[in-house]
Amino acid sequence: MQTQLPIKELKKALRLEALARRDALPADYRSNASLQIADHGLPAIALSPGEIVSGFWPIRSEVDLRPLLFALRDKGARLCLPVIVDKQTIIFRELVKHMPMIETGFGTSGPHEDAPVVDPTFMLVPLAAFDERGHRIGYGAGYYDRAIARLQGLGVNPRLLGIAFDCQKVETVPDEPHDVPLEAILTESGLRSFGSIDKAN
């Protein structure tokens, strides 16, 4: 326990610094960079027919992932978005055409509760900061860490692709035993791959 507090404090400082850099990006830069992310990501991501891909609707100054998500749907992917169930848990509901979006917690929007709950096999993961090893710092609530662990417990080992702007890169993310490294990071400058993100199951 004595070694965890400094790591958490360091993660918090790195998170705040990276998010401040992201917040400082002009809106037109974020819009153009989001389109570049879609352009880089679409040819690099290999999917099996009907594969379930989780994404996220942008909040605050996040990457607008919608261009990439819709392009992946055109390639045959089934899309889903995270929904906060309680302070510990997120589930994923399928993004079904013509079904209304609702507020789903933490400032996010997601599919209506009538949408099917699914288990993604490919996850586009939001983050606050990342390093060149594929380690990420989330927003501090641990939702994705627990969701990934739950999926792995079910025998689903989703491929993990982090989504960020270049300015969110830090020199080193202090990792802990429970942290799951990403297979790749996708930014406006391209794909940094650490695993087999470009190989379909």
Side-chain angles (χ1 to χ4, degrees), residues 9-26 29-30 59-63 126-131 135-140 163-174 185 187-188:
E9 290 176 350
L10 181 54
K11 280 186 173 182
K12 181 178 180 180
L14 290 170
R15 177 186 300 115
L16 292 174
E17 291 167 5
L19 291 178
R21 292 193 298 272
R22 192 182 76 183
D23 289 344
L25 293 174
Y29 180 91
R30 292 199 305 269
I59 58 172
R60 300 188 292 274
S61 57
E62 280 183 337
V63 171
L127 54 89
F130 68 93
D131 65 18
H135 288 272
R136 67 181 277 273
I137 297 176
Y139 294 133
I163 303 293
F165 295 114
D166 286 326
C167 69
Q168 294 171 251
K169 181 178 175 292
V170 299
E171 184 174 349
T172 303
V173 169
I185 299 282
T187 72
E188 68 268 35

Side-chain angles (χ1 to χ4, degrees), residues 86-98:
D86 54 40
K87 292 182 179 180
Q88 295 290 315
T89 309
I90 56 173
I91 58 173
F92 296 90
R93 289 187 185 141
E94 187 165 6
L95 185 59
V96 181
K97 286 184 178 180
H98 309 303

Side-chain angles (χ1 to χ4, degrees), residues 145-160:
D145 292 331
R146 288 187 293 273
I148 292 165
R150 181 187 67 82
L151 289 168
Q152 290 173 337
L154 295 172
V156 179
N157 290 298
R159 291 179 289 160
L160 307 174

Side-chain angles (χ1 to χ4, degrees), residues 77-146:
R78 293 172 61 192
L79 304 180
C80 61
L81 299 176
V83 175
I84 294 175
V85 176
D86 54 40
K87 292 182 179 180
Q88 295 290 315
T89 309
I90 56 173
I91 58 173
F92 296 90
R93 289 187 185 141
E94 187 165 6
L95 185 59
V96 181
K97 286 184 178 180
H98 309 303
M99 185 166 287
M101 299 282 285
I102 61 172
E103 292 184 7
T104 52
F106 209 60
T108 62
S109 299
H112 190 271
E113 59 187 13
D114 290 340
V117 175
V118 295
D119 293 326
T121 56
F122 195 111
M123 299 177 72
L124 302 174
V125 183
L127 54 89
F130 68 93
D131 65 18
E132 285 289 358
R133 302 174 304 147
H135 288 272
R136 67 181 277 273
I137 297 176
Y139 294 133
Y143 283 115
Y144 271 84
D145 292 331
R146 288 187 293 273

Side-chain angles (χ1 to χ4, degrees), residues 44-79:
I45 297 172
L47 298 172
S48 300
E51 186 161 1
I52 301 174
V53 177
S54 72
F56 53 90
W57 245 226
I59 58 172
R60 300 188 292 274
S61 57
E62 280 183 337
V63 171
D64 187 348
L65 200 55
R66 289 172 291 189
L68 178 57
L69 286 175
F70 296 148
L72 290 175
R73 181 163 63 187
D74 289 343
K75 286 178 66 174
R78 293 172 61 192
L79 304 180

